């Protein structure tokens, strides 16, 4: 039951992440196209005369919807193909006669109780890594949301694209940056919680003798 629920949560989170990436990519693509089109003299003159200053943002919102929709359609279609393939494989295996699997002799490993400090260090690193992955995905969600029409006022204006030079290569790379506190908390909070939870789990587990090291 818990495994099935966890599997559904992972699939749902992966679907939302794919939609966020698709929306972010297509929002930037549509915004770039709109910027070059609206930069033409005959278009910019009309915009200045009519006072239309949010045309690029409107195109970015349209791009976000297109990218999120394409990601949703592609993910659902891919999952349906995988289900069909797994069903065909299971049917083929049912038709084949069952043969007894050879027994495998497992070699016993010698273990010893882990030290509290070493266990805390290992579990803290693992928890911090999981928190980093979660924080990075939440930050990606936030950047994608800023390009959507659902973003609160002030989020989009806090995002900027900067050209930064990669150390040692001399090449410049475009990077999205922001100074908004919500983005900072979304990225930093899972890391802190992961390190703290890992340290507690490692310390308590080692103190109770539940954590062992392989000799």
């Amino acid at each position: 039951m818990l495994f099935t629920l966890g599997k559904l949560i992972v699939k749902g989170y992966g679907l939302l992440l794919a939609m966020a990436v698709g929306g972010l990519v297509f929002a930037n693509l549509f915004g770039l196209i709109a910027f070059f089109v609206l930069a033409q003299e005959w278009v910019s003159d009309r915009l200045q005369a009519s006072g239309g200053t949010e045309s690029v943002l409107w195109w970015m919102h349209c791009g976000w919807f297109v990218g999120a929709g394409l990601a949703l359609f592609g993910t659902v279609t891919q999952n349906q193909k995988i289900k069909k393939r797994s069903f065909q494989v299971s049917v083929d295996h049912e038709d084949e006669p069952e043969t007894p699997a050879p027994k495998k002799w497992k070699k016993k490993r010698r273990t010893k109780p882990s030290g509290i400090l070493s266990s805390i260090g290992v579990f803290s690193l693992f928890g911090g890594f999981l928190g980093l992955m979660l924080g990075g995905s939440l930050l990606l969600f936030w950047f994608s949301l800023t390009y959507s029409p659902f973003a609160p006022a002030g989020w989009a204006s806090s995002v900027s694209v900067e050209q930064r030079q990669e150390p040692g290569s001399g090449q410049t790379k475009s990077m999205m940056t922001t100074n908004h506190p919500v983005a900072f908390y979304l990225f930093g909070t899972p890391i802190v919680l992961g390190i703290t939870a890992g340290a507690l789990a490692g310390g308590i587990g080692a103190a109770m003798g539940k954590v062992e090291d392989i000799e």
Side-chain angles (χ1 to χ4, degrees):
M1 180 65 181
L2 291 177
F3 177 76
T4 304
L5 180 61
K7 191 176 180 180
L8 291 176
I9 293 175
V10 171
K11 285 186 176 181
Y13 191 80
L15 176 61
L16 293 177
L17 188 61
M19 293 176 63
V21 173
L24 182 61
V25 171
F26 275 82
N28 281 277
L29 180 61
F30 274 49
L32 186 63
I33 294 174
F35 176 78
F36 283 110
V37 172
L38 299 177
Q40 304 298 323
E41 294 182 359
W42 64 276
V43 180
S44 60
D45 292 340
R46 290 186 178 181
L47 288 176
Q48 292 177 1
S50 60
T53 58
E54 298 183 353
S55 298
V56 175
L57 188 60
W58 183 85
W59 277 101
M60 294 180 75
H61 289 169
C62 293
W64 189 90
F65 277 115
V66 171
L70 288 176
L72 176 61
F73 177 77
T75 304
V76 172
T77 304
Q78 187 66 24
N79 289 335
Q80 293 297 328
K81 290 181 179 179
I82 293 175
K83 287 182 180 179
K84 289 182 179 180
R85 290 177 183 175
S86 61
F87 177 75
Q88 291 177 356
V89 171
S90 62
V91 171
D92 293 340
H93 281 298
E94 289 179 358
D95 295 338
E96 296 178 357
E98 296 183 359
T99 55
K103 295 182 178 180
K104 296 182 179 180
W105 298 95
K106 295 184 178 179
K107 186 179 180 180
K108 293 184 178 180
R109 297 180 178 179
R110 299 180 59 184
T111 59
K112 63 178 181 179
S114 177
I116 295 179
L117 293 179
S118 62
S119 180
I120 290 176
V122 172
F123 276 76
S124 297
L125 290 175
F126 183 71
F129 176 74
L130 293 180
L132 178 64
M133 299 296 292
L134 178 59
S137 63
L138 291 178
L139 187 62
L140 180 60
F141 277 121
W142 187 86
F143 274 116
S144 179
L145 186 61
T146 57
Y147 286 93
S148 72
F150 310 109
W155 281 24
S157 60
S158 67
V159 178
S160 60
V161 180
E162 299 180 357
Q163 299 291 332
R164 294 187 178 181
Q165 187 174 1
E166 296 183 355
S169 63
Q171 298 179 352
T172 57
K173 186 177 182 181
S174 299
M175 296 185 64
M176 299 177 63
T177 61
T178 183
N179 56 359
H180 202 284
V182 174
F184 173 77
Y185 288 123
L186 286 176
F187 181 70
T189 302
I191 298 177
V192 175
L193 292 178
I195 294 175
T196 304
L200 291 175
I204 295 174
M208 296 178 62
K210 300 296 184 179
V211 182
E212 296 179 343
D213 294 333
I214 299 176
E215 294 183 348

